[in-house]
Amino acid sequence: MDFTRRDTLAIGAAAAAVTALPMPAMASLTEDAIAEFTGGADVADGGVDLDAPEIAENGNTVPIEVSAEGATAIMVLAAGNPTPGVATFNFGDASGAHRAKTRIRLAGTQDVVAVAKMADGSFAKTQKTVKVTIGGCGG
Amino acid sequence: MAKGVRPRVKAPRSAEAGEVVVIKTLISHKMESGQRKDSDGNVIPRSIINRFTCEYNGAMVVDVEMHPAISTNPYFEFEATIPEAGDFQFTWYDDDGSVYEETKTVKVG
């Protein structure tokens, strides 16, 4: 198939529009998810440990660890994914430590956010940028 | 029911009373995110495990709400307190309504 100069320009412009569009939408989705979790309460920075690799070669399986002293629940969000929700850990009476490890999918280089709900009803947040070499969203 | 789902759990067989033990769980599941397309360009429908719980003698250890961004073959590692001998009950809830269960017995002393 031959591309004329005109075709190439049109395709390039369309691709640029597609990649540029979702960015503002994603940021507000993350904020909405945080607001839903906290019920609009203030979120302090720090107080949550989020351990994620600086560079993840394969976005299909990125190991992360979250922990927060005295947390009842920790929500993990991936701000740059098509849907920001990743997981919410609710710790019960029989839990030994407020710490959990899992593996997540990241669509590309982005911030991973952890929001913890403390036993006293306050909230804390930490975020970390993970560079992703191959995105984990298929397609 | 998704095919070939097999839960695997690593928990100690015995522990001291009051000891905090590490539990590792893995369940084989393709965790189709609902974002991928097949070779004809049709979206493959979402099919994931959306919730995982672990209880010890009826007391909740951890209850995880899961979204499509959890990797294929969901893996969790967490800690539990063992107050007395008993059973761990692990439960995974699939989007299609299937429930996968696993139990592990822990002795004390």
Side-chain angles (χ1 to χ4, degrees):
Chain A
M1 188 178 171
D2 288 332
F3 286 110
T4 61
R5 185 180 141 85
R6 190 168 293 179
D7 283 344
T8 315
L9 283 174
I11 291 165
V18 167
T19 44
L21 267 179
M23 288 315 283
M26 278 172 193
S28 65
L29 277 178
T30 309
E31 278 162 26
D32 288 351
I34 293 174
E36 195 185 321
F37 183 66
T38 60
D42 285 343
V43 180
D45 267 330
V48 193
D49 284 333
L50 170 65
D51 193 10
E54 254 175 56
I55 298 173
E57 283 190 9
N58 183 358
N60 264 315
T61 171
V62 182
I64 61 154
E65 178 174 359
V66 288
S67 62
E69 200 71 37
T72 57
I74 302 177
M75 179 174 68
V76 181
L77 297 170
N81 276 5
T83 52
V86 174
T88 306
F89 299 94
N90 297 292
F91 298 102
D93 297 335
S95 71
H98 302 120
R99 186 184 78 80
K101 264 190 202 176
T102 187
R103 294 172 188 156
I104 67 170
R105 288 184 179 133
L106 296 174
T109 298
Q110 58 178 286
D111 287 338
V112 177
V113 185
V115 185
K117 182 183 189 179
M118 299 302 180
D120 61 6
S122 64
F123 292 90
K125 184 178 92 161
T126 301
Q127 62 183 30
K128 191 169 179 189
T129 306
V130 179
K131 284 185 182 149
V132 178
T133 316
I134 304 167
C137 265
Chain B
M1 181 168 161
K3 277 177 282 179
V5 176
R6 191 163 70 92
R8 274 176 283 176
V9 173
K10 192 173 181 189
R13 287 207 179 83
S14 66
E16 302 290 322
E19 191 181 339
V20 173
V21 298
V22 174
I23 312 291
K24 295 176 185 177
T25 72
L26 184 82
I27 183 163
S28 49
H29 192 285
K30 59 184 168 19
M31 295 292 280
E32 195 58 63
S33 68
Q35 300 284 341
R36 299 199 310 150
K37 289 175 180 166
D38 63 16
S39 51
D40 299 328
N42 303 314
V43 172
I44 305 171
R46 170 180 140 153
S47 167
I48 67 165
I49 293 171
N50 55 45
R51 186 170 171 227
F52 164 67
T53 62
C54 170
E55 291 178 24
Y56 189 72
N57 289 346
M60 189 61 76
V61 178
V62 72
D63 179 346
V64 188
E65 181 194 318
M66 292 153 75
H67 295 280
I70 296 289
S71 295
T72 307
N73 304 339
Y75 166 83
F76 290 106
E77 182 182 325
F78 50 90
E79 290 170 30
T81 313
I82 307 289
E84 72 274 320
D87 295 316
F88 276 110
Q89 174 75 39
F90 303 91
T91 319
W92 291 262
Y93 300 85
D94 199 306
D95 265 355
D96 63 12
S98 310
V99 173
Y100 316 110
E101 287 177 331
E102 176 85 348
T103 51
K104 287 278 173 190
T105 304
V106 180
K107 288 185 197 140
V108 164

